[in-house]
Amino acid sequence: MSTPIGKTIARILLEQESAQSLENKYTPPASLGQPACKKDTCCQWYWAANVMNAAFFGKFGRCNSLAREAVRTWSQKLASQGKDFGGADGRIVLTAAEIQRAENNGLQDIVDQMWAWSAQFGVGMGDLIQFDAAVAVVTCPLGPRMRVFVGRKDRAKAAPEGLLPDVNDSADKLISLFRDKTISPHALVALLGAHTTSEQFFVDTKRAGAPQDGTTGVWGTLSYNPTLGLGPLPKEVFRFPSDIVLAKDVRTADEWKSSGSHGQSHWNEDYAFAYTRLSLLGVNNINDLKECTKVLPMPKLNFKGAGELLKDQ
Ligand code: HEM
């Protein structure tokens, strides 16, 4: 039997109900650590959201590198979903082994930050990783305000290796890797739009800091077109081989093209659906989760200069 929250989440996963919300009616009953705050599930998350929002806010009103690392913590959710360990359970932080893997290069700062926030707010690591990714995305100008659920159980067993995508993998391998985790090619394209905010440091170390579209730290659809070689491509932009093969593959090419042209709100909703699915991989107690969307910062719906090359975050 599903609980009301279980039914809500099922409807979101079936895309029958939006994965975004502007609900923000919430006043914390007390400050962090007070008994009244401890009694209210969303209270500690309210205080956490305030601190994270400030930490993710970058120069010129954009989101900064810590925010981008938070968005990228998607990677640990992929591994071993469906087994008795794995998924969105906080492992990337809780096990020393996972963060040392090459696929997780660049995530060290956010992992250190997670330890500090987990202690400060008294929250579980699996929830914290998902929650801070949602705060990070909504801190980026134009980013969606995705619904957040808390109550995951943490596990500290490392996932098997080889379950994460590599930047040099073929389209076949990437598509089947994500399909295995119930992420369709369509959802994968939506998720990869996150490279709109990203910078690379380890793929080509000589070009450390090179962005994947012209507007690092802004949540726009611009990264789809540069990958296709369409539109203006500032020389600073570094295209990932994995994005290039998926932009061309017959299973993903149409969606890639239309994501660049369908507009921001269409992509934001697709991203929110796909990310919600990702954030619940391997979570076996969905009926017991609680929704705390109301504590998130409100989205920034406009950004002047979204199409210009903006660096320096
Ligand atoms: C086919 C799957 C994917 C591959 C092969 C891939 C690969 C990469 C690589 C190589 C980097 C640069 C790391 C570095 O050199 O510093 C990166 C950065 C990033 N990726 Fe992906 N990625 C994939 C999927 C995703 C997804 C699903 C998301 C979000 C939901 C995402 C979000 C990000 C973000 C935000 C960054 C920037 C981190 C920063 O600026 O510090 N990626 N990705």
Side-chain angles (χ1 to χ4, degrees):
M1 262 288 277
S2 295
T3 58
I5 193 77
K7 286 184 186 146
T8 298
I9 291 174
R11 280 196 301 275
I12 295 175
L13 295 178
L14 292 169
E15 304 189 7
Q16 294 166 347
E17 186 172 323
S18 179
Q20 302 178 79
S21 165
L22 294 179
E23 192 208 343
N24 70 341
K25 286 195 189 67
Y26 182 74
T27 309
S31 42
L32 187 68
Q34 298 296 310
C37 188
K38 285 188 182 148
K39 267 198 215 137
D40 175 353
T41 310
C42 295
C43 182
Q44 62 213 117
W45 294 107
Y46 170 88
W47 294 111
N50 281 359
V51 169
M52 289 170 183
N53 192 26
F56 292 152
F57 200 67
K59 278 191 207 159
F60 314 119
R62 289 171 283 150
C63 54
N64 62 18
S65 59
L66 195 66
R68 299 195 299 272
E69 283 187 35
V71 175
R72 202 185 154 214
T73 49
W74 61 276
S75 50
Q76 49 76 38
K77 297 165 209 121
L78 277 184
S80 75
Q81 187 254 336
K83 307 216 169 114
D84 62 349
F85 57 95
D89 54 15
R91 271 186 343 266
I92 192 171
V93 180
L94 295 171
T95 67
E98 285 202 27
I99 192 61
Q100 282 166 22
R101 293 179 187 168
E103 315 90 276
N104 288 327
N105 261 343
L107 294 176
Q108 285 79 4
D109 290 345
I110 191 74
V111 163
D112 291 346
Q113 185 61 75
M114 293 291 174
W115 280 111
W117 281 339
S118 169
Q120 184 178 356
F121 300 108
V123 293
M125 208 56 97
D127 283 342
L128 183 60
I129 291 171
Q130 305 311 323
F131 185 84
D132 90 332
V135 175
V137 168
V138 75
T139 305
C140 301
L142 312 184
R145 190 170 184 269
M146 299 186 289
R147 294 171 72 175
V148 291
F149 301 93
V150 296
R152 293 168 185 77
K153 295 195 173 118
D154 281 350
R155 273 163 290 193
K157 178 171 177 183
E161 296 204 48
L163 291 169
L164 291 176
D166 186 88
V167 73
N168 292 312
D169 279 343
S170 65
D172 258 356
K173 178 151 184 219
L174 294 169
I175 288 172
S176 70
L177 216 133
F178 278 83
R179 264 213 176 107
D180 261 11
K181 321 295 171 207
T182 80
I183 304 288
S184 66
H186 178 282
L188 174 58
V189 172
L191 288 172
L192 287 171
H195 288 159
T196 178
T197 56
S198 63
E199 290 176 356
Q200 72 83 31
F201 293 85
F202 299 99
V203 183
D204 181 344
T205 47
K206 290 195 285 307
R207 293 188 58 195
Q212 277 63 68
D213 84 4
T215 52
T216 304
V218 179
W219 196 264
T221 53
L222 287 179
S223 64
Y224 289 107
N225 284 344
T227 312
L228 291 169
L230 302 170
L233 182 63
K235 65 177 184 336
E236 289 80 353
V237 169
F238 179 98
R239 296 186 287 168
F240 290 148
S242 50
D243 285 350
I244 294 173
V245 292
L246 288 168
K248 287 189 190 147
D249 189 88
V250 64
R251 289 157 291 185
T252 36
D254 283 353
E255 188 54 26
W256 201 285
K257 246 186 238 126
S258 59
S259 296
S261 56
H262 269 161
Q264 189 73 32
S265 58
H266 178 103
W267 172 51
N268 275 3
E269 187 65 352
D270 277 358
Y271 184 89
F273 279 133
Y275 196 84
T276 305
R277 178 171 285 276
L278 201 60
S279 76
L280 293 167
L281 289 181
V283 177
N284 301 323
N285 62 333
I286 282 181
N287 278 324
D288 307 327
L289 301 184
K290 298 256 170 348
E291 180 163 7
C292 284
T293 309
K294 59 193 175 191
V295 307
L296 290 176
M298 292 304 273
K300 300 183 186 74
L301 301 174
N302 298 298
F303 187 74
K304 203 165 158 281
E308 295 160 20
L309 179 70
L310 296 163
K311 279 269 307 149
D312 195 20
Q313 282 279 291

